[in-house]
Amino acid sequence: MAAPFIEIKNVSKIFKNQDKEFKVLKGINLEIQKGDIFGIIGFSGAGKSTLIRCINRLETVSSGTIRIGNYEIDKLSKKEMNLYRQKIGIIFQHFNLFDSKTVFGNVAFPLEVAGKSKQEIEKRVAEILDLVNISDKKDFYPGQLSGGQKQRVGIARALANNPDILLSDEATSALDPVTSLSVLDILKDINKKLRLTIILITHSLDVIKYTCNNMAVLENGLIAEKGSVREIFANPSSETTKVFIKNNSDLAKVDYLVGGEGI
Amino acid sequence: MKEFLAQVFSVEVWEYVLPATWQTIYMTAISTTITITFGLLFGVLLYVTDKDGLHPMAIFNKVFGAIINSVLSLPSMIVVIIFLPLSKFIVGVSYGPKAFIVSLAIVCIPIFSRLVENSILEVSKGKVEAAKAMGAPNWDIILKIMLPESLPTLIRNFVVLTITLVSITAIAGSFGAGGLGELAVRFGYNRYRTDILVAVIIVLLAGVEVLQLFGAFISKKILKKRHLV
Ligand SMILES: Nc1ncnc2c1ncn2[C@@H]1O[C@H](COP(=O)(O)OP(=O)(O)OP(=O)(O)O)[C@@H](O)[C@H]1O
Ligand SMILES: [Mg+2]
């Protein structure tokens, strides 16, 4: 097999707050192939967001290395890092759209940052709004959009500059099940069309089952297990995974009892 | 009472009040312009160099913050006096409204700097992270994201600043700055001309109210346009 596109080696992250140390990541090893939709699941506080933030260097690792393609990202200068970040899109649970800009302005911003010309920006924004099916809201402000629409704008903004990787931190957990599905469908669709590598954090096994091919379970700053989604679902080995699977079926039962249809 | 009111609105009184009003407006307008320029600059600088800012510079931030705080903590009258010689030197005039302009601005710059810093801090951390994650340089993050995002708050704070300036201008009046403050002291206090004093108060109240309404109107208009109210 070719060298993995993303290689996370022995990564640890320690936060220091007033003499106290919090060891949040404790030696993470992960390999992610190009074109993967890679799911990361784990309980609250396991370190999922921290891990993803190390990938676009919103946090710097305390030790270990992260290699993406040919770059070791901890060795990048500030200038190189900004160029590198332009090729990594991220979508957030709370969207983080700019309220002062219209939908167009939001999606145009990363292109402005990348120094694209006005015509290029016009063309690309139209294209990408079309892809996420929200062209009719081009001149709206975020304040006028529903959660699902906001997240589609978030995706459009993350994809505007043709990134190599898309990071998604609980991008659907603020949305209702149906809207979640439509957002996940968009992610699957662009993964296929653009062969985009996606790393997706979630609390929901259903989301992983629906969207991802490979996955890892994060437990208290360590990888509890990793592998293909099919294998792990068929044969869970870690305690966390078992709890998730059990809760998941319990929830489905509750859902059934109250007359819902589950996801 | 009726006679007194007639006196307050008499031509004689307003022959004093109107020119003084213009002097006050003149001082306030120019000092405000200077204050906004430096206040924005310093406010952004305080935000950017903070330990959690876009470009942390711990020592600079501490020293700069301490200077700002020390000017802030002195009574504004004293600051006006301290910087008066400097002000006169820069403007090249030693009496009247013009001589006080720089001194007034120096009183207000620290206030506005902190107001600007706080306005920017109110923008959610998530937006800053989103911009950072796109690889935007700090310059873009400030100019294209943080300032536009905080604009409605900035405008409100700008009004607070202008009103503060008007009141400090009045204080400066007792040191020969001219304007409504001087009028109030010279006639209202020293010569018991209550009619002039009342006229001055009316102008000040009306002026402050108009500023307040205007600021609130613009701020609200922006929020409405963004559908945030
Ligand atoms: N800047 C920080 N300083 C100190 N501790 C931090 C910091 N950021 C995160 N942590 C700690 O790291 C741990 C992991 O946080 P993280 O946000 O990565 O969890 P998570 O798996 O994403 O949780 P959730 O599912 O709730 O989003 C938490 O215990 C948190 O308190
Ligand atoms: Mg998280």
Side-chain angles (χ1 to χ4, degrees):
Chain A
M1 201 199 263
F5 180 48
I6 303 174
E7 189 174 35
I8 298 172
K9 247 191 189 161
N10 245 325
V11 161
S12 71
K13 175 70 189 174
I14 301 168
F15 287 107
K16 289 194 186 94
N17 283 352
Q18 297 132 15
D19 321 326
K20 268 202 188 154
E21 289 198 344
F22 299 91
K23 197 151 191 194
V24 173
L25 301 177
K26 304 172 181 168
I28 302 277
N29 290 293
L30 273 185
E31 303 79 35
I32 297 172
Q33 306 294 336
K34 196 160 182 80
D36 263 4
I37 304 186
F38 194 97
I40 299 177
I41 196 170
F43 293 125
S44 204
K48 306 179 295 293
S49 296
T50 307
L51 179 61
I52 218 175
R53 290 161 57 81
C54 286
I55 294 179
N56 62 2
R57 263 196 67 175
L58 287 176
E59 303 286 359
T60 40
V61 299
S62 303
S63 66
T65 56
I66 298 179
R67 183 185 57 74
I68 296 187
N70 295 322
Y71 297 102
E72 268 197 32
I73 65 166
D74 317 290
K75 298 209 174 111
L76 299 176
S77 69
K78 195 162 177 164
K79 238 196 178 136
E80 290 170 322
M81 186 172 74
N82 276 342
L83 285 174
Y84 160 77
R85 280 177 173 163
Q86 289 172 16
K87 286 296 174 189
I88 300 187
I90 180 164
I91 50 182
F92 304 89
Q93 176 176 7
H94 297 296
F95 324 121
N96 294 338
L97 299 181
F98 307 126
D99 292 316
S100 58
K101 297 181 188 298
T102 59
V103 167
F104 178 91
N106 269 278
V107 180
F109 183 66
L111 297 166
E112 286 168 26
V113 168
K116 299 276 193 268
S117 74
K118 253 206 160 97
Q119 294 93 313
E120 280 176 290
I121 293 179
E122 295 264 348
K123 183 164 163 279
R124 178 65 184 154
V125 173
E127 226 170 66
I128 205 83
L129 289 181
D130 221 29
L131 183 73
V132 298
N133 219 339
I134 196 153
S135 305
D136 53 329
K137 302 284 190 293
K138 179 174 156 234
D139 297 318
F140 279 41
Y141 282 88
Q144 294 167 278
L145 302 177
S146 73
Q149 290 167 339
K150 280 184 193 162
Q151 198 54 292
R152 279 188 273 160
V153 176
I155 295 175
R157 186 176 69 174
L159 293 179
N161 198 32
N162 287 313
D164 302 320
I165 301 169
L166 179 68
L167 307 174
S168 159
D169 194 351
E170 298 187 38
T172 57
S173 46
L175 306 175
D176 70 67
V178 177
T179 314
S180 291
L181 272 190
S182 76
V183 167
L184 294 175
D185 280 332
I186 291 174
L187 294 185
K188 278 164 75 166
D189 192 45
I190 50 180
N191 166 262
K192 225 186 283 157
K193 273 189 194 146
L194 312 174
R195 223 172 105 72
L196 185 72
T197 308
I198 300 178
I199 302 177
L200 188 150
I201 289 180
T202 175
H203 284 129
S204 154
L205 273 184
D206 288 319
V207 167
I208 293 212
K209 200 172 2 174
Y210 187 73
T211 329
C212 305
N213 57 334
N214 288 311
M215 68 181 284
V217 180
L218 205 58
E219 193 179 277
N220 215 349
L222 283 166
I223 302 286
E225 62 182 310
K226 58 187 174 188
S228 85
V229 171
R230 201 174 315 144
E231 277 164 32
I232 288 180
F233 271 72
N235 207 351
S237 68
S238 85
E239 217 27 63
T240 302
T241 323
K242 284 175 193 162
V243 173
F244 265 112
I245 289 178
K246 178 165 183 305
N247 281 345
N248 204 41
S249 55
D250 285 354
L251 278 177
K253 255 181 249 157
V254 172
D255 229 25
Y256 172 74
L257 287 174
V258 297
E261 300 192 347
I263 301 182
Chain B
M1 184 69 197
K2 226 175 175 180
E3 274 162 43
F4 179 69
L5 276 183
Q7 182 62 30
V8 167
F9 289 103
S10 70
V11 175
E12 191 229 338
V13 167
W14 288 82
E15 264 173 357
Y16 288 113
V17 175
L18 272 184
T21 305
W22 282 119
Q23 286 184 335
T24 295
I25 292 178
Y26 168 83
M27 270 189 284
T28 309
I30 299 192
S31 308
T32 304
T33 313
I34 301 174
T35 305
I36 291 179
T37 313
F38 285 93
L40 274 175
L41 208 69
F42 291 174
V44 167
L45 209 57
L46 282 170
Y47 166 77
V48 170
T49 58
D50 185 81
K51 72 172 175 13
D52 298 318
L54 292 171
H55 190 98
M57 285 168 60
I59 296 173
F60 172 83
N61 188 272
K62 278 241 168 69
V63 174
F64 192 53
I67 295 174
I68 298 253
N69 288 348
S70 57
V71 180
L72 264 179
S73 63
L74 292 173
S76 36
M77 200 160 83
I78 293 180
V79 181
V80 171
I81 299 172
I82 295 176
F83 288 100
L84 201 51
L86 177 73
S87 180
K88 289 177 174 170
F89 175 74
I90 292 178
V91 187
V93 177
S94 55
Y95 60 90
K98 221 172 173 176
F100 280 79
I101 286 170
V102 175
S103 209
L104 289 170
I106 291 176
V107 181
C108 292
I109 287 170
I111 304 174
F112 196 51
S113 303
R114 287 296 184 196
L115 289 174
V116 169
E117 184 193 15
N118 287 340
S119 309
I120 301 178
L121 278 172
E122 266 179 34
V123 177
S124 80
K125 252 179 104 180
K127 290 177 188 169
V128 189
E129 296 223 310
K132 264 199 206 170
M134 290 172 202
N138 291 343
W139 201 236
D140 275 358
I141 298 182
I142 294 289
L143 291 181
K144 294 186 177 168
I145 306 295
M146 303 310 273
L147 290 179
E149 289 291 315
S150 54
L151 192 59
T153 319
L154 277 174
I155 289 174
R156 278 171 186 281
N157 282 331
F158 165 63
V159 170
V160 172
L161 162 83
T162 317
I163 293 172
T164 310
L165 243 168
V166 171
S167 79
I168 298 176
T169 314
I171 296 176
S174 36
F175 307 112
L180 291 167
E182 184 166 320
L183 205 61
V185 173
R186 213 145 50 97
F187 289 85
Y189 183 72
N190 293 340
R191 296 193 205 165
Y192 307 107
R193 286 291 301 266
T194 318
D195 50 350
I196 292 187
L197 187 59
V198 169
V200 165
I201 291 172
I202 291 174
V203 173
L204 285 175
L205 285 181
V208 166
E209 192 60 27
V210 166
L211 275 171
Q212 183 68 52
L213 288 175
F214 181 70
F217 172 75
I218 302 275
S219 174
K220 192 112 183 231
K221 205 167 162 139
I222 298 173
L223 288 174
K224 275 227 172 91
K225 180 175 153 219
R226 296 177 184 175
H227 292 261
L228 296 175
V229 281

